[in-house]
Structures are given as C-alpha cells and as structure tokens.
PDB file of all heavy atoms in Angstrom:
ATOM      1  N   GLY D   1      -8.130   6.552   1.478  1.00 91.00           N
ATOM      2  CA  GLY D   1      -8.057   5.889   2.812  1.00 91.00           C
ATOM      3  C   GLY D   1      -7.241   4.685   2.840  1.00 91.00           C
ATOM      4  O   GLY D   1      -6.605   4.338   3.790  1.00 91.00           O
ATOM      5  N   ALA D   2      -7.382   3.885   1.721  1.00 90.00           N
ATOM      6  CA  ALA D   2      -6.593   2.585   1.642  1.00 90.00           C
ATOM      7  C   ALA D   2      -5.154   2.901   1.577  1.00 90.00           C
ATOM      8  O   ALA D   2      -4.358   2.188   2.198  1.00 90.00           O
ATOM      9  CB  ALA D   2      -7.006   1.800   0.460  1.00 90.00           C
ATOM     10  N   VAL D   3      -4.781   3.913   0.857  1.00 91.00           N
ATOM     11  CA  VAL D   3      -3.382   4.312   0.760  1.00 91.00           C
ATOM     12  C   VAL D   3      -2.814   4.731   2.111  1.00 91.00           C
ATOM     13  O   VAL D   3      -1.813   4.413   2.608  1.00 91.00           O
ATOM     14  CB  VAL D   3      -3.098   5.408  -0.293  1.00 91.00           C
ATOM     15  CG1 VAL D   3      -1.648   5.947  -0.287  1.00 91.00           C
ATOM     16  CG2 VAL D   3      -3.439   4.918  -1.747  1.00 91.00           C
ATOM     17  N   GLN D   4      -3.642   5.620   2.798  1.00 92.00           N
ATOM     18  CA  GLN D   4      -3.243   6.155   4.058  1.00 92.00           C
ATOM     19  C   GLN D   4      -3.143   4.991   5.144  1.00 92.00           C
ATOM     20  O   GLN D   4      -2.228   4.968   5.895  1.00 92.00           O
ATOM     21  CB  GLN D   4      -4.281   7.233   4.509  1.00 92.00           C
ATOM     22  CG  GLN D   4      -4.196   8.416   3.735  1.00 92.00           C
ATOM     23  CD  GLN D   4      -5.329   9.425   4.023  1.00 92.00           C
ATOM     24  OE1 GLN D   4      -6.426   8.923   4.415  1.00 92.00           O
ATOM     25  NE2 GLN D   4      -5.130  10.665   3.816  1.00 92.00           N
ATOM     26  N   LYS D   5      -4.006   4.040   5.007  1.00 91.00           N
ATOM     27  CA  LYS D   5      -4.024   2.847   5.919  1.00 91.00           C
ATOM     28  C   LYS D   5      -2.691   2.071   5.678  1.00 91.00           C
ATOM     29  O   LYS D   5      -2.101   1.594   6.586  1.00 91.00           O
ATOM     30  CB  LYS D   5      -5.248   2.014   5.744  1.00 91.00           C
ATOM     31  CG  LYS D   5      -5.388   0.953   6.721  1.00 91.00           C
ATOM     32  CD  LYS D   5      -6.689   0.219   6.525  1.00 91.00           C
ATOM     33  CE  LYS D   5      -6.856  -0.954   7.516  1.00 91.00           C
ATOM     34  NZ  LYS D   5      -8.164  -1.648   7.306  1.00 91.00           N
ATOM     35  N   ALA D   6      -2.438   1.827   4.420  1.00 90.00           N
ATOM     36  CA  ALA D   6      -1.248   1.064   4.062  1.00 90.00           C
ATOM     37  C   ALA D   6       0.013   1.813   4.504  1.00 90.00           C
ATOM     38  O   ALA D   6       1.008   1.131   4.970  1.00 90.00           O
ATOM     39  CB  ALA D   6      -1.154   0.906   2.540  1.00 90.00           C
ATOM     40  N   LEU D   7       0.058   3.159   4.552  1.00 91.00           N
ATOM     41  CA  LEU D   7       1.220   3.899   4.934  1.00 91.00           C
ATOM     42  C   LEU D   7       1.334   3.712   6.475  1.00 91.00           C
ATOM     43  O   LEU D   7       2.423   3.462   7.034  1.00 91.00           O
ATOM     44  CB  LEU D   7       1.092   5.374   4.569  1.00 91.00           C
ATOM     45  CG  LEU D   7       1.408   5.709   3.133  1.00 91.00           C
ATOM     46  CD1 LEU D   7       0.853   7.121   2.763  1.00 91.00           C
ATOM     47  CD2 LEU D   7       2.887   5.573   2.827  1.00 91.00           C
ATOM     48  N   ARG D   8       0.180   3.818   7.219  1.00 91.00           N
ATOM     49  CA  ARG D   8       0.247   3.750   8.677  1.00 91.00           C
ATOM     50  C   ARG D   8       0.671   2.351   9.064  1.00 91.00           C
ATOM     51  O   ARG D   8       1.363   2.214  10.062  1.00 91.00           O
ATOM     52  CB  ARG D   8      -1.196   3.984   9.200  1.00 91.00           C
ATOM     53  CG  ARG D   8      -1.482   5.501   9.369  1.00 91.00           C
ATOM     54  CD  ARG D   8      -2.717   5.700  10.226  1.00 91.00           C
ATOM     55  NE  ARG D   8      -3.862   4.993   9.734  1.00 91.00           N
ATOM     56  CZ  ARG D   8      -4.775   5.338   8.854  1.00 91.00           C
ATOM     57  NH1 ARG D   8      -4.576   6.605   8.296  1.00 91.00           N
ATOM     58  NH2 ARG D   8      -5.858   4.720   8.581  1.00 91.00           N
ATOM     59  N   ALA D   9       0.245   1.339   8.337  1.00 89.00           N
ATOM     60  CA  ALA D   9       0.624  -0.085   8.725  1.00 89.00           C
ATOM     61  C   ALA D   9       1.970  -0.409   8.289  1.00 89.00           C
ATOM     62  O   ALA D   9       2.480  -1.414   8.659  1.00 89.00           O
ATOM     63  CB  ALA D   9      -0.449  -0.989   8.077  1.00 89.00           C
ATOM     64  N   GLY D  10       2.635   0.396   7.454  1.00 89.00           N
ATOM     65  CA  GLY D  10       3.899   0.135   7.054  1.00 89.00           C
ATOM     66  C   GLY D  10       4.109  -0.812   5.888  1.00 89.00           C
ATOM     67  O   GLY D  10       5.125  -1.320   5.502  1.00 89.00           O
ATOM     68  N   ARG D  11       2.941  -1.028   5.119  1.00 89.00           N
ATOM     69  CA  ARG D  11       2.938  -1.920   3.990  1.00 89.00           C
ATOM     70  C   ARG D  11       3.540  -1.215   2.900  1.00 89.00           C
ATOM     71  O   ARG D  11       4.070  -1.819   1.933  1.00 89.00           O
ATOM     72  CB  ARG D  11       1.514  -2.310   3.610  1.00 89.00           C
ATOM     73  CG  ARG D  11       0.937  -3.349   4.659  1.00 89.00           C
ATOM     74  CD  ARG D  11      -0.329  -3.932   4.243  1.00 89.00           C
ATOM     75  NE  ARG D  11      -1.398  -2.971   4.485  1.00 89.00           N
ATOM     76  CZ  ARG D  11      -2.300  -2.602   3.457  1.00 89.00           C
ATOM     77  NH1 ARG D  11      -2.322  -3.279   2.330  1.00 89.00           N
ATOM     78  NH2 ARG D  11      -3.160  -1.746   3.691  1.00 89.00           N
ATOM     79  N   ILE D  12       3.495   0.124   2.757  1.00 90.00           N
ATOM     80  CA  ILE D  12       4.176   0.891   1.726  1.00 90.00           C
ATOM     81  C   ILE D  12       4.897   2.071   2.486  1.00 90.00           C
ATOM     82  O   ILE D  12       4.491   2.353   3.599  1.00 90.00           O
ATOM     83  CB  ILE D  12       3.229   1.462   0.672  1.00 90.00           C
ATOM     84  CG1 ILE D  12       2.238   2.357   1.185  1.00 90.00           C
ATOM     85  CG2 ILE D  12       2.688   0.255  -0.182  1.00 90.00           C
ATOM     86  CD1 ILE D  12       1.316   3.002   0.093  1.00 90.00           C
ATOM     87  N   ASN D  13       5.839   2.689   1.770  1.00 90.00           N
ATOM     88  CA  ASN D  13       6.570   3.845   2.409  1.00 90.00           C
ATOM     89  C   ASN D  13       6.558   5.056   1.539  1.00 90.00           C
ATOM     90  O   ASN D  13       6.427   4.907   0.288  1.00 90.00           O
ATOM     91  CB  ASN D  13       8.062   3.438   2.673  1.00 90.00           C
ATOM     92  CG  ASN D  13       8.074   2.259   3.619  1.00 90.00           C
ATOM     93  OD1 ASN D  13       7.579   2.357   4.742  1.00 90.00           O
ATOM     94  ND2 ASN D  13       8.719   1.124   3.259  1.00 90.00           N
ATOM     95  N   ALA D  14       6.619   6.199   2.117  1.00 90.00           N
ATOM     96  CA  ALA D  14       6.717   7.513   1.436  1.00 90.00           C
ATOM     97  C   ALA D  14       8.091   8.118   1.892  1.00 90.00           C
ATOM     98  O   ALA D  14       8.622   7.862   2.934  1.00 90.00           O
ATOM     99  CB  ALA D  14       5.522   8.354   1.870  1.00 90.00           C
ATOM    100  N   ASN D  15       8.470   9.000   0.987  1.00 90.00           N
ATOM    101  CA  ASN D  15       9.752   9.721   1.323  1.00 90.00           C
ATOM    102  C   ASN D  15       9.473  10.912   2.310  1.00 90.00           C
ATOM    103  O   ASN D  15       8.273  11.087   2.714  1.00 90.00           O
ATOM    104  CB  ASN D  15      10.490  10.238   0.082  1.00 90.00           C
ATOM    105  CG  ASN D  15       9.723  11.210  -0.784  1.00 90.00           C
ATOM    106  OD1 ASN D  15       8.761  11.776  -0.220  1.00 90.00           O
ATOM    107  ND2 ASN D  15      10.163  11.453  -1.956  1.00 90.00           N
ATOM    108  N   ALA D  16      10.511  11.634   2.589  1.00 87.00           N
ATOM    109  CA  ALA D  16      10.331  12.752   3.554  1.00 87.00           C
ATOM    110  C   ALA D  16       9.371  13.888   3.073  1.00 87.00           C
ATOM    111  O   ALA D  16       8.767  14.516   3.829  1.00 87.00           O
ATOM    112  CB  ALA D  16      11.756  13.309   3.869  1.00 87.00           C
ATOM    113  N   ASP D  17       9.207  14.008   1.814  1.00 88.00           N
ATOM    114  CA  ASP D  17       8.349  15.038   1.199  1.00 88.00           C
ATOM    115  C   ASP D  17       6.922  14.475   1.071  1.00 88.00           C
ATOM    116  O   ASP D  17       6.192  15.059   0.407  1.00 88.00           O
ATOM    117  CB  ASP D  17       8.873  15.408  -0.172  1.00 88.00           C
ATOM    118  CG  ASP D  17      10.195  16.078  -0.151  1.00 88.00           C
ATOM    119  OD1 ASP D  17      10.469  16.758   0.857  1.00 88.00           O
ATOM    120  OD2 ASP D  17      10.948  16.038  -1.164  1.00 88.00           O
ATOM    121  N   LYS D  18       6.708  13.304   1.696  1.00 89.00           N
ATOM    122  CA  LYS D  18       5.299  12.628   1.661  1.00 89.00           C
ATOM    123  C   LYS D  18       4.905  12.392   0.148  1.00 89.00           C
ATOM    124  O   LYS D  18       3.793  12.481  -0.239  1.00 89.00           O
ATOM    125  CB  LYS D  18       4.269  13.524   2.270  1.00 89.00           C
ATOM    126  CG  LYS D  18       4.646  13.653   3.752  1.00 89.00           C
ATOM    127  CD  LYS D  18       3.360  14.303   4.531  1.00 89.00           C
ATOM    128  CE  LYS D  18       3.693  14.272   6.038  1.00 89.00           C
ATOM    129  NZ  LYS D  18       2.506  14.589   6.750  1.00 89.00           N
ATOM    130  N   LYS D  19       5.917  11.921  -0.554  1.00 92.00           N
ATOM    131  CA  LYS D  19       5.716  11.447  -1.930  1.00 92.00           C
ATOM    132  C   LYS D  19       5.959   9.995  -2.004  1.00 92.00           C
ATOM    133  O   LYS D  19       6.743   9.428  -1.248  1.00 92.00           O
ATOM    134  CB  LYS D  19       6.662  12.130  -2.983  1.00 92.00           C
ATOM    135  CG  LYS D  19       6.421  13.625  -3.057  1.00 92.00           C
ATOM    136  CD  LYS D  19       5.091  13.918  -3.755  1.00 92.00           C
ATOM    137  CE  LYS D  19       4.937  15.409  -3.856  1.00 92.00           C
ATOM    138  NZ  LYS D  19       3.598  15.712  -4.418  1.00 92.00           N
ATOM    139  N   ILE D  20       5.222   9.274  -2.882  1.00 91.00           N
ATOM    140  CA  ILE D  20       5.371   7.860  -2.984  1.00 91.00           C
ATOM    141  C   ILE D  20       5.981   7.480  -4.309  1.00 91.00           C
ATOM    142  O   ILE D  20       5.521   7.890  -5.349  1.00 91.00           O
ATOM    143  CB  ILE D  20       3.959   7.146  -2.902  1.00 91.00           C
ATOM    144  CG1 ILE D  20       3.272   7.482  -1.549  1.00 91.00           C
ATOM    145  CG2 ILE D  20       3.973   5.708  -3.124  1.00 91.00           C
ATOM    146  CD1 ILE D  20       1.941   7.079  -1.364  1.00 91.00           C
ATOM    147  N   ASP D  21       7.062   6.619  -4.267  1.00 91.00           N
ATOM    148  CA  ASP D  21       7.556   6.144  -5.539  1.00 91.00           C
ATOM    149  C   ASP D  21       6.700   4.975  -5.940  1.00 91.00           C
ATOM    150  O   ASP D  21       6.613   3.945  -5.303  1.00 91.00           O
ATOM    151  CB  ASP D  21       8.986   5.602  -5.238  1.00 91.00           C
ATOM    152  CG  ASP D  21       9.734   5.122  -6.567  1.00 91.00           C
ATOM    153  OD1 ASP D  21       9.009   4.887  -7.551  1.00 91.00           O
ATOM    154  OD2 ASP D  21      10.902   4.916  -6.453  1.00 91.00           O
ATOM    155  N   ALA D  22       5.978   5.190  -7.060  1.00 89.00           N
ATOM    156  CA  ALA D  22       4.974   4.185  -7.505  1.00 89.00           C
ATOM    157  C   ALA D  22       5.434   2.738  -7.730  1.00 89.00           C
ATOM    158  O   ALA D  22       4.803   1.771  -7.299  1.00 89.00           O
ATOM    159  CB  ALA D  22       4.204   4.732  -8.748  1.00 89.00           C
ATOM    160  N   ASP D  23       6.579   2.670  -8.418  1.00 90.00           N
ATOM    161  CA  ASP D  23       7.168   1.348  -8.676  1.00 90.00           C
ATOM    162  C   ASP D  23       7.444   0.580  -7.439  1.00 90.00           C
ATOM    163  O   ASP D  23       7.157  -0.592  -7.278  1.00 90.00           O
ATOM    164  CB  ASP D  23       8.429   1.482  -9.554  1.00 90.00           C
ATOM    165  CG  ASP D  23       8.016   2.110 -10.994  1.00 90.00           C
ATOM    166  OD1 ASP D  23       6.913   1.844 -11.416  1.00 90.00           O
ATOM    167  OD2 ASP D  23       8.907   2.667 -11.565  1.00 90.00           O
ATOM    168  N   VAL D  24       8.164   1.252  -6.521  1.00 91.00           N
ATOM    169  CA  VAL D  24       8.557   0.641  -5.230  1.00 91.00           C
ATOM    170  C   VAL D  24       7.296   0.337  -4.372  1.00 91.00           C
ATOM    171  O   VAL D  24       7.175  -0.797  -3.883  1.00 91.00           O
ATOM    172  CB  VAL D  24       9.500   1.546  -4.479  1.00 91.00           C
ATOM    173  CG1 VAL D  24       9.763   0.983  -3.075  1.00 91.00           C
ATOM    174  CG2 VAL D  24      10.855   1.740  -5.200  1.00 91.00           C
ATOM    175  N   ALA D  25       6.362   1.183  -4.336  1.00 91.00           N
ATOM    176  CA  ALA D  25       5.168   1.093  -3.536  1.00 91.00           C
ATOM    177  C   ALA D  25       4.279  -0.085  -4.064  1.00 91.00           C
ATOM    178  O   ALA D  25       3.728  -0.832  -3.308  1.00 91.00           O
ATOM    179  CB  ALA D  25       4.342   2.356  -3.459  1.00 91.00           C
ATOM    180  N   ASP D  26       4.305  -0.206  -5.442  1.00 90.00           N
ATOM    181  CA  ASP D  26       3.509  -1.291  -6.010  1.00 90.00           C
ATOM    182  C   ASP D  26       4.040  -2.597  -5.621  1.00 90.00           C
ATOM    183  O   ASP D  26       3.287  -3.546  -5.211  1.00 90.00           O
ATOM    184  CB  ASP D  26       3.455  -1.295  -7.546  1.00 90.00           C
ATOM    185  CG  ASP D  26       2.523  -0.146  -8.058  1.00 90.00           C
ATOM    186  OD1 ASP D  26       1.701   0.306  -7.350  1.00 90.00           O
ATOM    187  OD2 ASP D  26       2.641   0.200  -9.276  1.00 90.00           O
ATOM    188  N   ARG D  27       5.320  -2.825  -5.612  1.00 89.00           N
ATOM    189  CA  ARG D  27       6.025  -3.956  -5.214  1.00 89.00           C
ATOM    190  C   ARG D  27       5.752  -4.239  -3.672  1.00 89.00           C
ATOM    191  O   ARG D  27       5.368  -5.307  -3.214  1.00 89.00           O
ATOM    192  CB  ARG D  27       7.581  -4.038  -5.488  1.00 89.00           C
ATOM    193  CG  ARG D  27       7.869  -4.208  -6.902  1.00 89.00           C
ATOM    194  CD  ARG D  27       9.297  -4.583  -7.093  1.00 89.00           C
ATOM    195  NE  ARG D  27      10.210  -3.391  -6.785  1.00 89.00           N
ATOM    196  CZ  ARG D  27      10.396  -2.377  -7.447  1.00 89.00           C
ATOM    197  NH1 ARG D  27       9.953  -2.188  -8.654  1.00 89.00           N
ATOM    198  NH2 ARG D  27      11.235  -1.321  -7.024  1.00 89.00           N
ATOM    199  N   GLU D  28       5.915  -3.213  -2.920  1.00 89.00           N
ATOM    200  CA  GLU D  28       5.661  -3.339  -1.408  1.00 89.00           C
ATOM    201  C   GLU D  28       4.218  -3.682  -1.133  1.00 89.00           C
ATOM    202  O   GLU D  28       3.950  -4.583  -0.238  1.00 89.00           O
ATOM    203  CB  GLU D  28       6.019  -2.005  -0.664  1.00 89.00           C
ATOM    204  CG  GLU D  28       7.542  -1.658  -0.592  1.00 89.00           C
ATOM    205  CD  GLU D  28       7.775  -0.252  -0.061  1.00 89.00           C
ATOM    206  OE1 GLU D  28       6.814   0.484   0.036  1.00 89.00           O
ATOM    207  OE2 GLU D  28       8.887  -0.081   0.391  1.00 89.00           O
ATOM    208  N   TRP D  29       3.309  -3.105  -1.936  1.00 87.00           N
ATOM    209  CA  TRP D  29       1.883  -3.363  -1.677  1.00 87.00           C
ATOM    210  C   TRP D  29       1.622  -4.813  -2.013  1.00 87.00           C
ATOM    211  O   TRP D  29       0.865  -5.461  -1.163  1.00 87.00           O
ATOM    212  CB  TRP D  29       1.124  -2.475  -2.646  1.00 87.00           C
ATOM    213  CG  TRP D  29      -0.411  -2.512  -2.413  1.00 87.00           C
ATOM    214  CD1 TRP D  29      -1.262  -3.485  -2.639  1.00 87.00           C
ATOM    215  CD2 TRP D  29      -1.193  -1.405  -1.896  1.00 87.00           C
ATOM    216  NE1 TRP D  29      -2.490  -3.111  -2.315  1.00 87.00           N
ATOM    217  CE2 TRP D  29      -2.539  -1.832  -1.838  1.00 87.00           C
ATOM    218  CE3 TRP D  29      -0.879  -0.114  -1.513  1.00 87.00           C
ATOM    219  CZ2 TRP D  29      -3.518  -1.045  -1.421  1.00 87.00           C
ATOM    220  CZ3 TRP D  29      -1.985   0.709  -1.092  1.00 87.00           C
ATOM    221  CH2 TRP D  29      -3.245   0.217  -1.081  1.00 87.00           C
ATOM    222  N   ASP D  30       2.155  -5.397  -3.085  1.00 84.00           N
ATOM    223  CA  ASP D  30       1.851  -6.749  -3.479  1.00 84.00           C
ATOM    224  C   ASP D  30       2.430  -7.784  -2.444  1.00 84.00           C
ATOM    225  O   ASP D  30       1.836  -8.766  -2.111  1.00 84.00           O
ATOM    226  CB  ASP D  30       2.357  -7.072  -4.860  1.00 84.00           C
ATOM    227  CG  ASP D  30       1.574  -6.299  -5.875  1.00 84.00           C
ATOM    228  OD1 ASP D  30       0.395  -5.938  -5.652  1.00 84.00           O
ATOM    229  OD2 ASP D  30       2.148  -6.083  -6.994  1.00 84.00           O
ATOM    230  N   VAL D  31       3.667  -7.453  -1.905  1.00 85.00           N
ATOM    231  CA  VAL D  31       4.352  -8.278  -1.079  1.00 85.00           C
ATOM    232  C   VAL D  31       3.724  -8.253   0.330  1.00 85.00           C
ATOM    233  O   VAL D  31       3.624  -9.337   0.987  1.00 85.00           O
ATOM    234  CB  VAL D  31       5.806  -8.021  -0.957  1.00 85.00           C
ATOM    235  CG1 VAL D  31       6.556  -8.706   0.113  1.00 85.00           C
ATOM    236  CG2 VAL D  31       6.458  -8.358  -2.320  1.00 85.00           C
ATOM    237  N   ASN D  32       3.427  -7.110   0.799  1.00 83.00           N
ATOM    238  CA  ASN D  32       2.939  -6.963   2.200  1.00 83.00           C
ATOM    239  C   ASN D  32       1.485  -7.022   2.440  1.00 83.00           C
ATOM    240  O   ASN D  32       1.021  -6.820   3.605  1.00 83.00           O
ATOM    241  CB  ASN D  32       3.454  -5.545   2.761  1.00 83.00           C
ATOM    242  CG  ASN D  32       5.011  -5.516   2.765  1.00 83.00           C
ATOM    243  OD1 ASN D  32       5.596  -6.549   2.974  1.00 83.00           O
ATOM    244  ND2 ASN D  32       5.515  -4.332   2.462  1.00 83.00           N
ATOM    245  N   THR D  33       0.667  -7.247   1.448  1.00 79.00           N
ATOM    246  CA  THR D  33      -0.790  -7.241   1.575  1.00 79.00           C
ATOM    247  C   THR D  33      -1.318  -8.738   1.664  1.00 79.00           C
ATOM    248  O   THR D  33      -0.934  -9.505   0.814  1.00 79.00           O
ATOM    249  CB  THR D  33      -1.469  -6.563   0.356  1.00 79.00           C
ATOM    250  OG1 THR D  33      -1.003  -5.194   0.321  1.00 79.00           O
ATOM    251  CG2 THR D  33      -2.976  -6.587   0.557  1.00 79.00           C
ATOM    252  N   ASP D  34      -2.103  -8.954   2.751  1.00 70.00           N
ATOM    253  CA  ASP D  34      -2.592 -10.276   2.959  1.00 70.00           C
ATOM    254  C   ASP D  34      -3.807 -10.463   1.972  1.00 70.00           C
ATOM    255  O   ASP D  34      -4.844  -9.692   2.064  1.00 70.00           O
ATOM    256  CB  ASP D  34      -3.068 -10.339   4.382  1.00 70.00           C
ATOM    257  CG  ASP D  34      -3.637 -11.746   4.722  1.00 70.00           C
ATOM    258  OD1 ASP D  34      -3.675 -12.645   3.967  1.00 70.00           O
ATOM    259  OD2 ASP D  34      -4.229 -11.875   5.864  1.00 70.00           O
ATOM    260  N   ALA D  35      -3.769 -11.424   1.171  1.00 63.00           N
ATOM    261  CA  ALA D  35      -4.753 -11.654   0.123  1.00 63.00           C
ATOM    262  C   ALA D  35      -6.166 -11.888   0.736  1.00 63.00           C
ATOM    263  O   ALA D  35      -7.186 -11.637   0.205  1.00 63.00           O
ATOM    264  CB  ALA D  35      -4.406 -12.781  -0.865  1.00 63.00           C
ATOM    265  N   SER D  36      -6.104 -12.562   1.895  1.00 61.00           N
ATOM    266  CA  SER D  36      -7.419 -12.940   2.500  1.00 61.00           C
ATOM    267  C   SER D  36      -8.171 -11.710   3.039  1.00 61.00           C
ATOM    268  O   SER D  36      -9.381 -11.834   3.404  1.00 61.00           O
ATOM    269  CB  SER D  36      -7.197 -13.942   3.704  1.00 61.00           C
ATOM    270  OG  SER D  36      -6.539 -13.312   4.659  1.00 61.00           O
ATOM    271  N   ARG D  37      -7.478 -10.529   3.071  1.00 63.00           N
ATOM    272  CA  ARG D  37      -8.173  -9.366   3.654  1.00 63.00           C
ATOM    273  C   ARG D  37      -8.559  -8.411   2.535  1.00 63.00           C
ATOM    274  O   ARG D  37      -9.052  -7.254   2.891  1.00 63.00           O
ATOM    275  CB  ARG D  37      -7.227  -8.667   4.694  1.00 63.00           C
ATOM    276  CG  ARG D  37      -6.944  -9.663   5.755  1.00 63.00           C
ATOM    277  CD  ARG D  37      -6.444  -9.076   7.027  1.00 63.00           C
ATOM    278  NE  ARG D  37      -7.566  -8.119   7.484  1.00 63.00           N
ATOM    279  CZ  ARG D  37      -7.294  -7.374   8.527  1.00 63.00           C
ATOM    280  NH1 ARG D  37      -6.184  -7.398   9.193  1.00 63.00           N
ATOM    281  NH2 ARG D  37      -8.265  -6.548   8.873  1.00 63.00           N
ATOM    282  N   ILE D  38      -8.315  -8.665   1.342  1.00 59.00           N
ATOM    283  CA  ILE D  38      -8.683  -7.867   0.200  1.00 59.00           C
ATOM    284  C   ILE D  38     -10.195  -7.880   0.078  1.00 59.00           C
ATOM    285  O   ILE D  38     -10.794  -8.929  -0.036  1.00 59.00           O
ATOM    286  CB  ILE D  38      -8.002  -8.215  -1.097  1.00 59.00           C
ATOM    287  CG1 ILE D  38      -6.457  -8.107  -0.977  1.00 59.00           C
ATOM    288  CG2 ILE D  38      -8.449  -7.431  -2.255  1.00 59.00           C
ATOM    289  CD1 ILE D  38      -5.649  -8.623  -2.100  1.00 59.00           C
ATOM    290  N   ALA D  39     -10.821  -6.684  -0.138  1.00 53.00           N
ATOM    291  CA  ALA D  39     -12.250  -6.626  -0.388  1.00 53.00           C
ATOM    292  C   ALA D  39     -12.495  -6.990  -1.840  1.00 53.00           C
ATOM    293  O   ALA D  39     -11.788  -6.538  -2.732  1.00 53.00           O
ATOM    294  CB  ALA D  39     -12.698  -5.223  -0.120  1.00 53.00           C
ATOM    295  N   VAL D  40     -13.459  -7.801  -2.083  1.00 47.00           N
ATOM    296  CA  VAL D  40     -13.905  -8.278  -3.434  1.00 47.00           C
ATOM    297  C   VAL D  40     -15.187  -7.757  -3.821  1.00 47.00           C
ATOM    298  O   VAL D  40     -16.110  -7.754  -3.002  1.00 47.00           O
ATOM    299  CB  VAL D  40     -13.862  -9.833  -3.468  1.00 47.00           C
ATOM    300  CG1 VAL D  40     -14.175 -10.336  -4.904  1.00 47.00           C
ATOM    301  CG2 VAL D  40     -12.458 -10.357  -3.076  1.00 47.00           C
ATOM    302  N   SER D  41     -15.352  -7.286  -5.068  1.00 40.00           N
ATOM    303  CA  SER D  41     -16.605  -6.754  -5.528  1.00 40.00           C
ATOM    304  C   SER D  41     -17.462  -7.964  -5.885  1.00 40.00           C
ATOM    305  O   SER D  41     -17.103  -8.671  -6.828  1.00 40.00           O
ATOM    306  CB  SER D  41     -16.363  -5.799  -6.715  1.00 40.00           C
ATOM    307  OG  SER D  41     -15.519  -4.815  -6.449  1.00 40.00           O
ATOM    308  N   ALA D  42     -18.593  -8.089  -5.300  1.00 35.00           N
ATOM    309  CA  ALA D  42     -19.534  -9.135  -5.673  1.00 35.00           C
ATOM    310  C   ALA D  42     -20.368  -8.745  -6.809  1.00 35.00           C
ATOM    311  O   ALA D  42     -20.645  -7.553  -7.065  1.00 35.00           O
ATOM    312  CB  ALA D  42     -20.445  -9.518  -4.484  1.00 35.00           C
ATOM    313  N   VAL D  43     -20.810  -9.625  -7.643  1.00 37.00           N
ATOM    314  CA  VAL D  43     -21.688  -9.268  -8.763  1.00 37.00           C
ATOM    315  C   VAL D  43     -22.981  -8.889  -8.298  1.00 37.00           C
ATOM    316  O   VAL D  43     -23.600  -9.421  -7.432  1.00 37.00           O
ATOM    317  CB  VAL D  43     -21.813 -10.601  -9.696  1.00 37.00           C
ATOM    318  CG1 VAL D  43     -22.787 -10.330 -10.791  1.00 37.00           C
ATOM    319  CG2 VAL D  43     -20.427 -10.933 -10.298  1.00 37.00           C
TER     320      VAL D  43
END
C-alpha cells in the first residue's frame, strides 16, 4: 500500500510495463518523501 500510495502521489515512477527501477525509485523516494510524515515504530 505504501508503494502504491507513493506511485499515486508521484513520489516514485513506474515504467509502461508497471515495473519499478529500484535504484531510481530509491533516490526518488528519499528526495520526495517528507520526513515528518514517516511512521516511526515506538518501543
């Protein structure tokens, strides 16, 4: 669901075959993700 949400929001991109280039998507994910909205696991 997090990957699908990132695709819908345009934070990462997939090609026409609906495949994701992991290296490119990792960079896009890091650049386009707001750190204040990341869910953190509490102890």
Side-chain angles (χ1 to χ4, degrees):
V3 172
Q4 291 170 335
K5 186 175 180 180
L7 284 164
R8 281 192 306 272
R11 288 186 287 131
I12 61 173
N13 296 306
N15 65 15
D17 296 333
K18 295 190 178 191
K19 295 290 183 182
I20 299 173
D21 183 345
D23 296 330
V24 173
D26 284 342
R27 284 192 299 276
E28 290 175 342
W29 190 291
D30 292 337
V31 171
N32 297 325
T33 300
D34 181 7
S36 67
R37 302 201 56 186
I38 295 174
V40 178
S41 302
V43 173

